[in-house]
Amino acid sequence: SPNYAFAKYNLGFASMLCDNSEPCVKNIDSALLLSPLDPLRYAMLCARGMDGLARGDYRTASQYCTQGANEPNSHIHIHALAAVTNHLAGNDVAAKVWADIVNNAKYQNYREQFFRSFPFREAETYKVVEAAMRKLSI
């Protein structure tokens, strides 16, 4: 039932924030199968990308985060993740495109608000993301 997709997404997102990759991937993939046209598809794809980011698989992270950023309903945090993951994957042109979108829309103390929304448990993941945001002037 598509009604379970939101619960599966939330389990996957919480697992990602706690660096539990296997349940993250399992639950996000399940949510995407249960509700392939879900209004939160952008978030599901991005959570899957953030799992890749936490594991250091920047190519996979950029693919999922870019897909998420291109979905309807995506927002500034999703665009920022697309910029960061593309930068880390070496996709400088795509990183700049997404960073420009974020920089044209961002507000004061943006980075602080970003990390409040995505409180990475692992200090190393936080450092990598924060450094990439600084490099991209986000």
Side-chain angles (χ1 to χ4, degrees), residues 59-111:
R59 188 171 145 240
T60 297
S62 69
Q63 290 170 340
Y64 278 105
C65 288
T66 300
Q67 281 181 323
N70 281 313
E71 287 288 319
N73 302 323
S74 68
H75 52 76
I76 190 169
H77 292 338
I78 304 302
H79 302 154
L81 284 165
V84 165
T85 56
N86 275 289
H87 169 74
L88 293 170
N91 304 328
D92 295 332
V93 173
K96 183 176 177 352
V97 168
W98 289 112
D100 287 346
I101 291 169
V102 172
N103 287 327
N104 288 330
K106 77 179 181 184
Y107 34 88
Q108 198 171 19
N109 299 325
Y110 174 71
R111 241 183 274 161

Side-chain angles (χ1 to χ4, degrees), residues 4-138:
Y4 290 114
F6 186 66
K8 291 283 196 176
Y9 159 69
N10 279 316
L11 285 170
F13 186 77
S15 296
M16 177 274 305
L17 287 174
C18 294
D19 281 341
N20 292 329
S21 185
E22 187 178 327
C24 171
V25 170
K26 179 183 164 199
N27 284 302
I28 295 295
D29 287 352
S30 178
L32 287 164
L33 286 172
L34 286 169
S35 187
L37 301 175
D38 200 285
L40 288 175
R41 181 176 166 80
Y42 72 91
M44 295 174 189
L45 291 166
C46 216
R48 188 76 158 72
M50 289 169 64
D51 173 70
L53 171 67
R55 289 182 293 105
D57 183 357
Y58 301 136
R59 188 171 145 240
T60 297
S62 69
Q63 290 170 340
Y64 278 105
C65 288
T66 300
Q67 281 181 323
N70 281 313
E71 287 288 319
N73 302 323
S74 68
H75 52 76
I76 190 169
H77 292 338
I78 304 302
H79 302 154
L81 284 165
V84 165
T85 56
N86 275 289
H87 169 74
L88 293 170
N91 304 328
D92 295 332
V93 173
K96 183 176 177 352
V97 168
W98 289 112
D100 287 346
I101 291 169
V102 172
N103 287 327
N104 288 330
K106 77 179 181 184
Y107 34 88
Q108 198 171 19
N109 299 325
Y110 174 71
R111 241 183 274 161
E112 179 183 317
Q113 292 188 11
F114 175 87
F115 286 112
R116 254 192 268 141
S117 296
F118 299 109
F120 295 102
R121 183 176 184 187
E122 292 296 318
E124 189 58 35
T125 303
Y126 173 88
K127 288 178 190 174
V128 167
V129 173
E130 205 274 333
M133 290 178 93
R134 203 174 324 109
K135 176 97 172 160
L136 294 165
S137 299
I138 294 175

